[in-house]
Amino acid sequence: MERTLCIVKPDGVRRKLVGEVLRRIEGAGFRIEGLRMLRLNREQAELLYDIHLGKPFFEDLVKFMTSGPIVAILLEKENGISDLRDLIGETDPSLARRGTIRGDLGGTKQENLVHASDSPLRAEKEIPIFFPKTEGEYKSAGEVR
Ligand code: CMP
């Protein structure tokens, strides 16, 4: 089983597409292990996108990601990291295949609805930003933050 992180970005929340994204994720066989709605602060957004630091779109990306609430989703599935990347489609929605979340629901290169960890290393870094407890703790009943 592989754990990965999906984020419905501020544009997805504004466009009321949270339910649609979750429906597609569950329909593709993922198990939702954790779910949080929150507004990122600048520090968290910079940490999430630290690999893009210095790129021309970095500042706008941080501004966008902190512009409103997001939904962070902790997911589990066999081959989950690459399966989730396939499900969301290309970064630029105009290039994303039909049947993918970005391909079907549209958006722009920056405001592209969803984020997904792109490697095991990134998943390991990104998951604790939103779900700091250790593996397994989200499976038990009781408080989930
Ligand atoms: P995501 O898959 O979350 O990873 C990095 C994000 O940076 C990407 O989705 C887009 O939101 C944004 N991004 C990547 N490339 C560009 C670009 N050329 N112009 C604007 N935003 C970009």
Side-chain angles (χ1 to χ4, degrees), residues 5 9-10 16 19 24-25 49 55 59 68 98 108 143:
L5 178 79
K9 298 183 180 187
K16 301 188 172 69
R24 286 173 181 244
I25 286 172
Y49 286 123
K55 293 189 184 161
E59 194 51 42
R98 281 280 148 152
T108 66
E143 196 245 345

Side-chain angles (χ1 to χ4, degrees), residues 9 48-49 51-52 55-58 60-61 64-65 85 88 91 102 108-116:
K9 298 183 180 187
L48 178 68
Y49 286 123
I51 47 166
H52 299 297
K55 293 189 184 161
F57 59 84
F58 183 76
D60 280 347
L61 178 60
F64 162 56
M65 287 300 290
R85 298 290 296 180
I88 71 171
T91 302
R102 287 167 174 162
T108 66
K109 204 165 186 181
Q110 178 174 270
E111 304 207 359
N112 58 1
L113 282 169
V114 280
H115 167 81

Side-chain angles (χ1 to χ4, degrees), residues 63-112:
K63 250 184 231 156
F64 162 56
M65 287 300 290
T66 56
S67 68
I70 59 152
V71 175
I73 313 156
L74 178 58
L75 294 168
E76 195 177 69
K77 185 182 181 294
E78 206 86 55
N79 208 30
I81 293 171
S82 89
D83 283 1
L84 185 64
R85 298 290 296 180
D86 289 346
L87 185 70
I88 71 171
E90 288 279 319
T91 302
D92 184 343
S94 67
L95 303 176
R97 267 190 309 107
R98 281 280 148 152
T100 63
I101 291 175
R102 287 167 174 162
D104 290 349
L105 303 175
T108 66
K109 204 165 186 181
Q110 178 174 270
E111 304 207 359
N112 58 1

